[in-house]
Amino acid sequence: MSDKRLGTQTIKLENPPSIVATASIVGPKEGQGPLKLYFDEIIEDELWGEKSWEKAESKLMRETLAKILSKAGKSPGEINYIIAGDLLNQCIAANFGLRESEIPFLGIFGACSTIGEAMGIGAMLIDGGFADHVVSITSSHFCSAEKQFRFPLELGSQRPPTAQWTVTGAGGVLLSKQGTGPYITHVTIGKIVDLGIKDSNNMGAAMAPAAADTILRHFKDTGLSPDSYDLILTGDLGSLGKRICAEMLEAQGYPILDHYNDCGLMIFDREKQDPHSGGSGCGCSATAFAGFVYAEMTKGSLKNVLFVPTGALLSPTSTQQGESIPCIAHAVSISTSISS
Amino acid sequence: MQKNFTKEDYRKYVEQISPKSKVLRNVVRAFIIGGLICIVGQFITNLLTALGLKKDELSSITTIIMIFLGAILTGLNIYDELGRYAGAGSIVPITGFANSIVSPAMEFKSEGYVTGVGAKMFVIAGPVIVYGVAASVVVGILYYLIK
């Protein structure tokens, strides 16, 4: 077995890559939420001067990449790979948003877990000696996601309380071989988990078992415990999914509630902004990480974070055919120090 | 909570802890808003009667005006807010039917007038029309046989 592997699903990075820069751009609703001060830019309207929501989402991706590069003082030629994905069919936000980037491109799809997958692959590429600088970036857009997965925006319909609100925003990170941290120390790649939930308006309940499975695997593989982390942060489970995930882990002997939060619950004010069960989408975890988590880690108020973006791997066709929702979560362990 | 779930156990557990829609509140809101929409319709009918329209013209013209209002309110981004509040109260009246056609037409305009607006306009209303027509055929045959 490779000496970089721990247990069955975890990788311990021998030379942990450093997160040297992040950027996030969000929509107007996110810009009124509790994390508003952490974002680099808040767009004024959801079309952002474009003719369609899909084009606006591509622009979010493109402008976020530009911000990452300018913050890090890098030119596109210095970046070895860009790993990106989004929710739209054929990942068009990433493919079109990054087509002029002139950077070798790896398009991936992990639904809302994409940022975790992208950071994990990027960290492995760097630790494996295949790259010095990698950008991992994802986006989602409320309007383009509603159009693809649900109903037209102007249709007068009600959502059940378990439904979630797709975040409009793009977030990304630049990972480098050299840097002063925070560092990616471990990556636990999740398995597809499907406990039979069919209701696409209850993604939190569908995804929670996948998150719990990956977090449990991470603890078992690494020997770490919930107390090893200041913050365990799932992607977009919402209030119901968060509760289920915590209860599942507690039943396995890993009580996480003291250190646990969910990006979907942080990004909107549930009382005032009515996102029902919470935020969701690739941009939810990506912007919360690139904005809030990175800022707090560089300030030093968070030292060890287990970032677990979660994804529901469904399509409108699978939902119409009555399929249940396969889900996934990837855990990325990030630390401000690499002494351990 | 148990350690390992079967799909059946998990479904039951999720059903038990999922927050439920507030049925009573939604019904009351649907009743009030749905009722108000009908009052507007009645007001228009009365107005048209006062203008001297005949009975068979009345219902067609009232319907046309209500559809127009539903379409306008959809275009002004108001009907979706109304629907979020009123639920079935604004879906069931004919204004809701207009909303269900105008909203996808607006949504898919970015894909052009043929493959976008034209093709997608009836994605929501289409099934209603198909099964509405089919049901009326069945009822028509039954009526013919029973009569």
Side-chain angles (χ1 to χ4, degrees), chain A residues 37 151 327:
Chain A
L37 295 176
F151 293 118
C327 294

Side-chain angles (χ1 to χ4, degrees), chain A residues 48-64:
Chain A
W48 205 13
E50 297 291 323
K51 284 193 173 148
S52 70
W53 295 315
E54 292 77 8
K55 285 185 178 148
E57 187 176 343
S58 289
K59 186 175 175 187
L60 280 172
M61 188 80 93
R62 188 168 66 237
E63 296 297 325
T64 302

Side-chain angles (χ1 to χ4, degrees), chain A residues 127-139:
Chain A
D127 190 38
F130 303 105
D132 293 325
H133 304 289
V134 175
V135 169
S136 302
I137 184 169
T138 65
S139 68

